[in-house]
């Protein structure tokens, strides 16, 4: 061997050694990769993604699958971990899993591999979750750091999909705050700045939405990406990792009552099995935990319920800590709760869950396939299908279809059926009804029938009233659509195709102007789009006829006159038609054949309003976020967000929107606002913001009308007496004192109104009610009530229906106050007005039915 040969051989040998070593070293521990021990500090999101990608690059057990970007452009993705052999056939395993969900039972050639999905940090400031994900990703990929668990054996029959951070925008907001405020050594004193996160906190995403309320509605870009990815895999087990208060220990499944009735005995039982294994891990080192309390399974858009309604074992795990805990904090008992300890707990519950799922993989797969078969052959509940009559508002129908698609629910066209027993969502009654050919039909017999039945449930039955969220959400009410629930099955007759709808302007070639229909749910979107382009638009306050066509009050008139400076007026009008799902009509003259001519004062000119809102301390970040999201993503109209009431530049504003909040207004603040409104300003108060004006001279809003309070109290007393009598009777039977201490917490629930649907009566002649008929199903999410206004009521709860919700639960003591109370009203002051929207119409962005009320309040001020 000459020296050159020798060198070549040595080099080859070194390369061989190095590649073997490098392959090993490519899978670093989190601390090697990050440069600090897990728990010493919080990890920024891009480093989390980098680490996950390094695991995927360095190991044949893992791949990284991106599924989207957040609003702030952070990468979203999952690390899919399983054995090398399973990785080699991963797509086949995925397809086999999808076949289990077709509703045809378990295929005979099923490969027998289960899917477990672990979601971390949906609430950004529950920041331990992602740190724990780093540790658990490493453990699953390497097989180290998993206690006495045999990771390799787990991964032979299980695919683990880990989403290390569901909400990176919120989490990095929190991590930046931690980095900024905490020093070299964490300060455990809870009174210090590192334990006091500033507004709006990192819990929510960019638009300040709580993404653990969004699974079913998918209004947020992160949820849309994640659920699409989730539905591509459809796991048998899903864990949503959270944190609760500093002084709470650990919580895991089984969950507390109420459970939605659709949750199967098997799903209940399997939670127990997994919980028991978690308990075994926690007992081994004496960790404290609790189960079966606080966290219920009802509202369908959580990270535990939504997976449950899709056939998985959905669970929430809660570590004690949260935003306040920082890197270390002293608890009420004087212990120090460290980030490292919080990581350990979430890491172990994750490992334990994978272990128990792997142990039960056959059962999980079998029951999962069974769940989907049952949906197809014998759907849950009393309704066999749902019909949305054809010819309804195009925008609302589009939103309905979006939600159905996003949940994997299939639908089609109905055949004509002359007589079918059906529940009517508007009247609340069941009777013989007619289905017309071409109506939208959703057959309940379908694989995703579970989530369908929950979302369409006219009145979900609570197994226990102790819930902390809304108790009614039926899609027809949320969308404001007519629908019926069928008692007998009707099969879909044809694929759904949307009725062809011209959005192009029709009529004259060289028009005098255009009319854009104003009645649609998204009509104000069309208006806003024109205003944003500088178009002057007029709103007809009475119906009129022209060119042989009939137009309605509330329609928008656009004339060439006053729009001379708009470069592309016809284009702007056409774009408004698209935005509002309506076709503009070109007209030849300003002289009408009935009604008033266009030059008349019956057409109020609307010019682009300058709008501002408050988003800062003292304001509900959720409400501020809903408003921001609505302007940016729905109306696509500019809004000025200022940090405090005092920052509003009133002289240069036409509309101010006050989100729900806890305003500390003094008389000076109110006087400034009042002067601005009297001069022509339009003030819109949402939800809790109404309280800032209640009982204040000149603002027209009061808790109770004259004499009303005494009546309500008398009725409350009657209910209380009846309850006392009932309790005395029950307690005597059990030999108990009048109200045992243990029952007192529960007693307070009788005053609660966590969220229910009420039928409101509307004055549909008022511009605030444009786009509505004489009724509106309102979602009321608190017991707060105000008396009907002395003038300007637009929506009130009818005084004659006992104040009970149309759908959902209200504590019995909350009911007397609801009768006749205000839902939405306008109080005129000088040249301007105040709109009180007592029930937040933008709630979680999914109550589509309320959006028009909000839009009218903001844009139709000149007509009020
Ligand atoms: Zn949480």
């Amino acid at each position: 061997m000459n020296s050159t040969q020798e060198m070549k051989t040595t080099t080859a040998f070194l390369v061989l050694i190095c590649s073997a070593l490098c392959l090993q070293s490519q899978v670093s521990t989190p601390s090697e990769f990050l440069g600090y021990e897990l728990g010493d500090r919080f990890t920024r999101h891009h480093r989390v993604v980098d680490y996950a990608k390094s695991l995927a690059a360095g190991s044949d057990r893992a791949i990284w699958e991106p599924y989207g970007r957040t609003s702030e452009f952070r990468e979203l993705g999952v690390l899919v971990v399983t054995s090398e052999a399973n990785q080699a056939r991963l797509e086949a395993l995925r397809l086999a899993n999808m076949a289990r969900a077709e509703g045809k039972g378990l295929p005979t050639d099923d490969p027998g591999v289960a899917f477990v999905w672990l979601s971390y940090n949906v609430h950004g400031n529950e920041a331990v979750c992602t740190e724990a994900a780093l540790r658990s990703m490493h453990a699953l990929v390497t097989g180290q750091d998993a206690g006495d668990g045999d990771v390799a054996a787990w991964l032979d029959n299980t695919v683990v999909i880990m989403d290390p951070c569901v909400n990176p925008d919120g989490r990095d907001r929190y991590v930046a705050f931690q980095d900024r405020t905490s020093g070299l050594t964490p300060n455990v004193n809870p009174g210090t700045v590192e334990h006091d996160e500033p507004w709006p906190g990192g819990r929510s995403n960019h638009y300040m939405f709580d993404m653990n309320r969004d699974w079913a509605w998918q209004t947020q870009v992160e949820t849309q990406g994640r659920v699409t990815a989730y539905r591509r895999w459809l796991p048998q087990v899903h864990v949503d990792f959270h944190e609760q208060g500093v002084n709470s220990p650990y919580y895991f499944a089984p969950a507390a009552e109420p459970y939605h009735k659709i949750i199967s005995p098997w799903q209940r039982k399997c939670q127990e099995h997994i919980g028991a294994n978690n308990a075994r891990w926690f007992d081994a080192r004496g960790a404290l935990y609790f189960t079966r309390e606080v966290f219920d399974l009802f509202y369908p858009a959580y990270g535990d319920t939504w997976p449950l309604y899709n056939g998985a074992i959905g669970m929430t795990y809660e570590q004690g800590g949260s935003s306040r805990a920082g890197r270390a904090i002293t608890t009420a008992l004087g212990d120090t709760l460290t980030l490292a300890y919080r990581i350990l707990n979430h890491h172990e519950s994750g490992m334990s869950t994978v272990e128990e799922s792997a142990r039960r993989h056959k059962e999980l797969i079998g029951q999962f396939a069974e769940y989907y078969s049952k949906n197809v052959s014998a759907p849950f509940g009393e309704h066999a299908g749902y019909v949305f009559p054809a010819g309804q508002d195009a925008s609302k129908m589009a939103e309905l279809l979006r939600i159905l698609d996003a949940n994997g629910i299939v639908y089609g066209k109905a055949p004509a059926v002359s007589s079918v027993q059906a529940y009517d969502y508007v009247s609340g009654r069941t009777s013989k009804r007619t289905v017309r050919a071409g109506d939208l039909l959703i057959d309940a017999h379908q694989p995703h029938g579970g989530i369908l039945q929950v979302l369409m449930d006219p009145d979900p039955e609570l197994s226990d009233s102790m819930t902390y969220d809304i108790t009614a959400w039926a899609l027809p009410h949320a969308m404001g659509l007519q629908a019926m629930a069928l008692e007998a099955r009707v099969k879909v007759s044809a694929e759904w195709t949307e009725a062809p709808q011209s959005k192009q302007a029709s009529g004259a070639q060289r028009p005098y102007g255009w009319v854009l229909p104003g009645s649609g749910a998204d009509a104000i979107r069309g208006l806003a789009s024109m205003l944003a382009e500088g178009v002057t638009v007029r709103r007809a306050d009475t119906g009129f006829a022209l060119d042989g066509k009939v137009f309605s009050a509330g329609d928008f008139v656009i004339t060439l006159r006053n729009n001379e400076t708009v470069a592309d007026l016809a284009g702007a009008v056409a774009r408004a038609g698209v935005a509002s799902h309506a076709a503009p009509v070109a007209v030849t003259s300003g002289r009408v054949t009935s009604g008033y001519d266009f030059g008349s004062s019956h057409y109020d000119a609307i010019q682009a309003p300058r709008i501002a809102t408050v988003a800062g301390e003292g304001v509900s970040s959720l409400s501020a976020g809903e408003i921001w999201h609505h302007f940016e993503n729905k109306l696509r109209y500019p809004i000025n967000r200022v940090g405090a009431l005092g920052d509003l530049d009133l002289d240069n504003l036409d509309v101010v929107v006050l989100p729900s909040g806890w305003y500390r207004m003094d008389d000076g603040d109110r006087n400034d606002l009042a002067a601005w409104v009297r001069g022509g300003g339009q003030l819109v108060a949402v939800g809790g913001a109404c309280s800032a004006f209640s009982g204040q001279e000149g603002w027209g809003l009061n808790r109770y009308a004259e004499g009303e309070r005494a009546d309500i109290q008398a009725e409350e007393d009657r209910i209380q007496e009846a309850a006392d009598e009932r309790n005395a009777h029950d307690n005597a039977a059990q030999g108990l004192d009048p109200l045992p201490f243990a029952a007192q917490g529960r007693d307070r629930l009788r005053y609660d109104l966590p969220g229910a649907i009420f039928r409101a009566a509307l004055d549909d002649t008022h511009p605030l009610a444009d786009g509505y008929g004489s009724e509106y199903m309102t979602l009321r999410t608190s017991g707060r009530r105000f008396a009907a206004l002395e003038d300007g009521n637009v929506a009130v709860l009818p005084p004659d229906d006992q104040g009970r919700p149309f759908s959902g639960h209200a504590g019995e003591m909350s009911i007397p106050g609801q009768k006749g109370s205000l839902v939405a009203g306008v109080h005129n002051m000088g040249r301007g007005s105040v709109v009180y929207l007592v029930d937040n119409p933008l709630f979680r962005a999914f109550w589509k039915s309320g959006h028009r009320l909000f839009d009218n309040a903001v844009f139709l001020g000149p007509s009020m």
Side-chain angles (χ1 to χ4, degrees), residues 433-458:
R433 297 290 303 271
T434 303
V435 176
R436 290 189 172 75
D439 287 351
L440 181 90
L441 170 65
I442 313 171
D443 186 349
H445 301 72
Q446 59 169 298
H448 288 284
I451 186 72
L452 165 70
Q453 297 291 44
V454 175
L455 296 183
M456 291 296 293
D457 201 341

Side-chain angles (χ1 to χ4, degrees), residues 122-123 125-126 203 210 212-213 240-244 316 318 322:
V122 62
H123 291 145
N125 60 6
E126 298 170 3
R203 176 181 173 92
D210 184 334
N212 193 31
R213 305 291 185 274
D240 209 28
F241 288 89
H242 288 256
E243 280 192 277
Q244 52 190 339
T316 291
E318 300 263 357
S322 273

Side-chain angles (χ1 to χ4, degrees), residues 201-219:
R203 176 181 173 92
S204 53
N205 72 347
H206 173 78
Y207 283 110
M208 297 185 274
F209 273 63
D210 184 334
M211 289 202 296
N212 193 31
R213 305 291 185 274
D214 193 45
W215 280 76
W217 326 122
Q218 298 167 43
T219 66

Side-chain angles (χ1 to χ4, degrees), residues 69-90:
R69 292 249 171 210
T70 67
S71 298
E72 296 173 16
F73 214 64
R74 292 187 175 87
E75 183 170 340
L76 294 160
V78 289
L79 189 74
V80 183
V81 188
T82 188
S83 68
E84 289 84 347
N86 285 339
Q87 280 292 356
R89 54 170 185 159
L90 192 60

